[in-house]
Each structure stands twice: as structure tokens, then as C-alpha cells.
Amino acid sequence: MIGLIVAIIVGVFLSLASKQNMIVVKEGNLKQLPLKMQLNKHQDSDCGMVIETLDFASQVVAPDGKTWFFHDHGGFVHWLEDKSFRDSAKIWVMSLDTKRWIDGRKAYYSRDDITPMGYGFGAYEHKESKKGLIPFSEMRLHMLRGETMNDPLIRKQLTQR
């Protein structure tokens, strides 16, 4: 029953994407550089929502040049986990402190920002930009364990610091 509901939801998102010419994946990015994103034109590859702001946007580029787009950094972690190119993919994240695309594996992440999906991971280029920033590897583990701002206990711990 749950599988049927998920299939219907995915079908609706794909139908809307094709009718509105939404961009879900882009091919041909062999240089693996961040691509220009248009607000309200790109669709999150993990949850299917329309990307309305670049503040927490991410891009994942496979070695073959396919590029996927995300509106919350936690989403790309979740989505990328079962992909064969997980370790070789190029990850680009929008930096909150410098407002430019930076290497997602070299970025520092907050845990308590208000993000589109509520995960809380904002990306920063400079570690001194905000107190308590963590490296990519730690952010990834927190996301995969579900230790995000969506968990009431984690949110309480993080907001009482």
C-alpha cells in the first residue's frame, strides 16, 4: 500500500516536471563544474520539490557528466548514498558566507540553520564564519543517522548550546 502511494506521488512529480519543463537532471557536464540554476525551474532530485532559493542548493555531478540538483544539502547526502559513483562524484554546494559554489567535500557545515527540508546543514567556505561548523564527513554521518534538526531531541540539543 505504501509503495503504491509513493509510486503515485513520484508519478505526479514527474508529470508536473514534464508539463512545466522542469530541470531534474542535466547531461553533458564533463568538466564537472557547477551549472547555472534558475529558480523555480530546477527540481530537487531527492524529494522532487521545486528549488526556490540557492541558499542551501547543491549539485552532484557524476563522472559521466550527469548533474542532479538539490535544495537542501541533506538531500544530496541521502540521494547519493546508494549510487555507484558516490565516492567519485563532484559535489558543489552554495556557500552561505561567500555566496558562491564551493566543493562540497571541502565545505564546513552548520547543524542548526533553517533549511528547506529542515535538516539544518548550511554550507560555509570558511570555518571561522560560524561557531560549531563541522567537516563534510561528519555532516554526512549526522544526516545518515537522522541526527538533523527534524529530530526534536537533536534540535533541543543544538539550540541549547
Side-chain angles (χ1 to χ4, degrees):
M1 183 65 172
I2 293 175
L4 177 63
I5 293 171
V6 170
I8 291 171
I9 292 171
V10 168
V12 168
F13 275 122
L14 292 177
S15 173
L16 288 173
S18 64
K19 287 179 185 173
Q20 298 175 3
N21 293 321
M22 298 299 289
I23 300 168
V24 179
V25 63
K26 192 93 167 156
E27 296 189 29
N29 187 5
L30 297 175
K31 292 185 180 181
Q32 295 186 302
L33 297 173
L35 299 177
K36 181 176 172 81
M37 292 175 63
Q38 286 182 276
L39 299 182
N40 303 308
K41 191 74 171 167
H42 284 78
Q43 190 171 352
D44 188 291
S45 297
D46 184 50
C47 70
M49 292 179 66
V50 175
I51 300 173
E52 298 176 337
T53 177
L54 294 181
D55 291 344
F56 301 97
S58 319
Q59 300 182 29
V60 173
V61 189
D64 68 359
K66 286 184 182 175
T67 305
W68 291 267
F69 307 93
F70 304 86
H71 70 145
D72 193 308
H73 305 313
F76 84 74
V77 172
H78 176 261
W79 179 88
L80 191 57
E81 191 57 21
D82 66 352
K83 305 300 182 275
S84 61
F85 53 87
R86 178 184 73 204
D87 296 328
S88 59
K90 183 69 178 177
I91 300 168
W92 294 102
V93 294
M94 181 57 70
S95 168
L96 288 170
D97 58 345
T98 60
K99 303 292 186 207
R100 62 188 193 130
W101 292 106
I102 61 171
D103 185 327
R105 296 183 196 275
K106 294 178 181 173
Y108 299 97
Y109 296 87
S110 62
R111 295 189 61 203
D112 60 357
D113 277 318
I114 298 171
T115 66
M117 294 301 291
Y119 299 129
F121 304 112
Y124 294 82
E125 188 167 4
H126 304 290
K127 191 171 186 172
E128 62 279 352
S129 295
K130 185 174 177 178
K131 186 178 178 184
L133 297 180
I134 58 175
F136 170 76
S137 59
E138 195 173 326
M139 181 275 279
R140 180 178 166 272
L141 283 176
H142 285 300
M143 179 60 197
L144 295 176
R145 291 178 185 158
E147 299 167 353
T148 70
M149 289 289 282
N150 286 329
D151 180 318
L153 294 174
I154 298 296
R155 184 172 50 252
K156 185 176 181 182
Q157 288 174 358
L158 294 173
T159 56
Q160 289 182 350
R161 290 195 271 168

